[in-house]
Amino acid sequence: SLTLSSSSFPPAAAVDGRASSFAKRSRTLMRTNSVFKSFRRRATTIARRRGNGDGADDSSRRAALVLHGWRSNASVSATHVARLRLLARFERAHCADGAVAANAAADDATAALFDGPWFSWVDAARDVDLDGDTRALEEELVRSLRAVVKFTSQREPYECVVGFSQGGAVATLLSHPDVLQALGVPVGCALWKRAIIVCGGSSALITLAERAL
């Protein structure tokens, strides 16, 4: 069973533009022996009780990074974590908001069930015209990819990344050695050991990455 207590990540190094607050807009879910209560809008930690029980041990040896989809947020990811029972496998699930602010939720159902604000990895990716000028979108994508790299660099390699929809495209890109090398990650280093992609979407991000990197 689970309990919810407020906490926040150690701050990750700042990155350019709106991605600079990436590490602050995130949630950590962890296994515990108490009762699951409710999700809060601010940064939260669901901590597994060990030692003094304050959840201070935030190593990523058995942690999963969860990346939400287009125009969603970490609160939606936290619900996915609970529904999919990911904490039965991982000690922690870090649910991070996207690096790009969005002006609305992906759909009316999401807006009705969850509070904003909303975020994407590339906000206009759903309507992108790959035959047109995509330089602004390419810059947005690279900024988001760098934000995830910066975030993970503050921790040990994750056991797993779980990407939903557009977050699945980001997870796919950041699982490729050539992409990591283009972003300055040392050769032979990985951000996680394995990846789970759920309802993968925004395949245009693959083409944008090929152009940008």
Side-chain angles (χ1 to χ4, degrees):
S1 57
L2 307 172
T3 190
L4 190 67
S5 59
S6 62
S7 183
S8 61
F9 291 143
V15 293
D16 56 335
R18 287 170 290 184
S20 61
S21 59
F22 176 81
K24 298 178 182 178
R25 302 192 314 270
S26 53
R27 289 171 172 79
T28 305
L29 294 92
M30 294 169 146
R31 285 183 287 186
T32 178
N33 295 321
S34 300
V35 179
F36 180 77
K37 295 182 179 179
S38 63
F39 295 111
R40 299 175 185 171
R41 291 184 61 183
R42 60 178 172 165
T44 57
T45 300
I46 299 179
R48 182 184 188 185
R49 298 201 180 278
R50 60 167 74 193
N52 60 9
D54 61 4
D57 179 9
D58 196 36
S59 70
S60 298
R61 183 178 60 84
R62 289 289 299 161
L65 176 63
V66 185
L67 305 178
H68 63 69
W70 180 73
R71 294 190 174 182
S72 186
N73 61 31
S75 292
V76 178
S77 294
T79 299
H80 291 329
V81 168
R83 297 276 177 85
L84 295 175
R85 301 184 65 186
L86 292 181
L87 295 182
R89 180 177 180 85
F90 304 104
E91 293 178 6
R92 288 166 299 283
H94 294 168
C95 303
D97 284 324
V100 180
N103 58 16
D107 50 56
D108 292 341
T110 301
L113 292 170
F114 298 92
D115 292 330
W118 311 104
F119 303 93
S120 297
W121 304 101
V122 178
D123 193 50
R126 178 167 290 191
D127 303 316
V128 61
D129 178 9
L130 293 175
D131 294 326
D133 187 350
T134 60
R135 285 174 295 181
L137 297 178
E138 293 166 27
E139 292 174 1
E140 204 168 80
L141 174 60
V142 171
R143 186 165 72 245
S144 289
L145 295 177
R146 291 190 184 280
V148 178
V149 171
K150 287 283 188 180
F151 184 79
T152 59
S153 69
Q154 304 300 306
R155 296 162 179 79
E156 296 297 321
Y158 280 96
E159 179 76 15
C160 183
V161 62
V162 183
F164 293 90
S165 190
Q166 189 178 93
V170 172
T172 298
L173 286 168
L174 290 175
S175 298
H176 198 292
D178 290 346
V179 173
L180 294 179
Q181 188 173 353
L183 294 170
V185 177
V187 176
C189 294
L191 306 184
W192 37 72
K193 296 180 181 179
R194 54 186 58 88
I196 299 173
I197 309 302
V198 183
C199 299
S202 296
S203 59
L205 268 61
I206 308 300
T207 301
L208 292 177
E210 291 175 342
R211 295 177 181 180
L213 300 174

